[in-house]
Amino acid sequence: MVVSRARSVKTASSSKAAARAEMPKRDAILEAATRVFLAHGYEGASMDLVAKESGAARRTVYNQFESKEALFSAAVERVWRDFPVVGIAADKEALGDPAVGLSRLGKAVVEFWEPPVAVAFLRMVISEGMRFPDLPRNFFEAGKAPAMRALIDYLQQIDENGSLDIPDAELAARQFLGLLNEPLLWLRVVGVGKPPSSAERQRVVEEAVMMMMARYGSSG
C-alpha cells in the first residue's frame, strides 16, 4: 500500500512536471503559428511550416493541435488574451464612477490595438474572410464578442445605478468603440498611417470619454 501510494505521488508529480514543460512549448508553437499565418495567410500556412518556424517536431505540433483550424483558433485566443476589458468592467471603482470606468476601458482598447501584430492579424482575418468565412467568425467570437458583452453589461449597470442615462447600452457600446477605433485603428488596417503615439492615444480616449459623458450624463 505504501509503495502504491508512493508510485501514485510520483506519477502525479511527473504529470504536473510534464504539463509545466508543455506550456512553454505550446506558447512557442503559437508564437510561430502567428508569424506563419501573418506571412503566408491562412490558406498558405501549414502545420509543417509552423513546425519548422517553431523548431518543434511535426508530431509535437499535431500532439498539441489536431488541425490547422485548431491551431488558428488557439492563435486567435492568444491574440485576445491580453484584452482586459472584462475585468475592468466589473471593477467597483469603475462602476461607481463612469468617467473612471470609460477611461480604463478606452485605454485597454487602444493599447490592445497598438502593437502592429494585432492590426496585422485583424487585416489577415478580413482579407481571407471571403474564402474562409469561419475565420472572422472565430476571431470575433474568441475576443470581440466577450469584450462587447462585458462593455454592454458595464453600461447597463451604470445606467441602472443612475450614474448615466443610457437607454440603449448596445448602441452606446458601439458608439464608444467607434470613437476609439475610427481615429486610431481603421486607417492602419487598410495600410494608411502609422501607429499613433502615446499622447495621441491618450487624447482620443479623453475625447471619447467626454463625448460619452456629455451625451449620456444627466444634462445630456
Side-chain angles (χ1 to χ4, degrees), residues 174-183 204 207-209 211-212:
R174 296 186 185 281
Q175 289 170 335
F176 184 57
L177 292 178
L179 291 169
L180 301 169
N181 292 335
E182 176 60 28
V204 168
E207 290 290 335
V209 172
M211 291 182 73
M212 292 291 288

Side-chain angles (χ1 to χ4, degrees), residues 47-211:
M47 302 291 270
D48 287 345
L49 282 173
V50 172
K52 182 178 180 180
E53 179 71 19
S54 66
R58 187 172 184 272
R59 177 179 294 180
T60 301
V61 176
Y62 274 100
N63 284 342
Q64 292 279 351
F65 309 96
E66 62 182 12
S67 65
K68 184 169 76 171
E69 291 81 1
L71 180 58
F72 179 81
S73 294
V76 167
E77 289 176 5
R78 190 172 186 275
V79 169
W80 284 107
R81 73 182 181 184
D82 295 324
F83 201 32
V85 170
V86 175
I88 295 172
D91 182 82
K92 288 185 178 179
E93 186 178 6
L95 289 171
D97 187 339
V100 170
L102 290 170
S103 295
R104 290 180 181 174
L105 287 163
K107 183 178 180 181
V109 171
V110 302
E111 293 299 324
F112 175 79
W113 291 116
E114 188 273 332
V117 66
V119 177
F121 212 98
L122 175 59
R123 186 185 298 123
M124 185 269 292
V125 169
I126 293 172
S127 67
E128 302 248 13
M130 292 298 291
R131 286 176 293 176
F132 304 98
D134 284 344
L135 295 192
R137 186 181 305 113
N138 290 342
F139 190 79
F140 179 82
E141 291 178 353
K144 186 172 181 179
M148 178 62 78
R149 285 195 296 269
L151 178 54
I152 292 171
D153 180 64
Y154 170 72
L155 294 176
Q156 287 175 334
Q157 290 186 69
I158 60 176
D159 171 69
E160 290 169 2
N161 67 26
S163 299
L164 294 178
D165 181 15
I166 306 176
D168 188 336
E170 181 174 352
L171 175 60
R174 296 186 185 281
Q175 289 170 335
F176 184 57
L177 292 178
L179 291 169
L180 301 169
N181 292 335
E182 176 60 28
L184 297 178
L185 174 62
W186 294 113
L187 286 178
R188 293 174 64 203
V189 171
V190 299
V192 179
K194 58 184 181 180
S197 67
S198 176
E200 289 175 302
R201 296 195 301 272
Q202 180 64 28
R203 184 170 69 88
V204 168
V205 171
E206 290 175 353
E207 290 290 335
V209 172
M210 286 191 290
M211 291 182 73

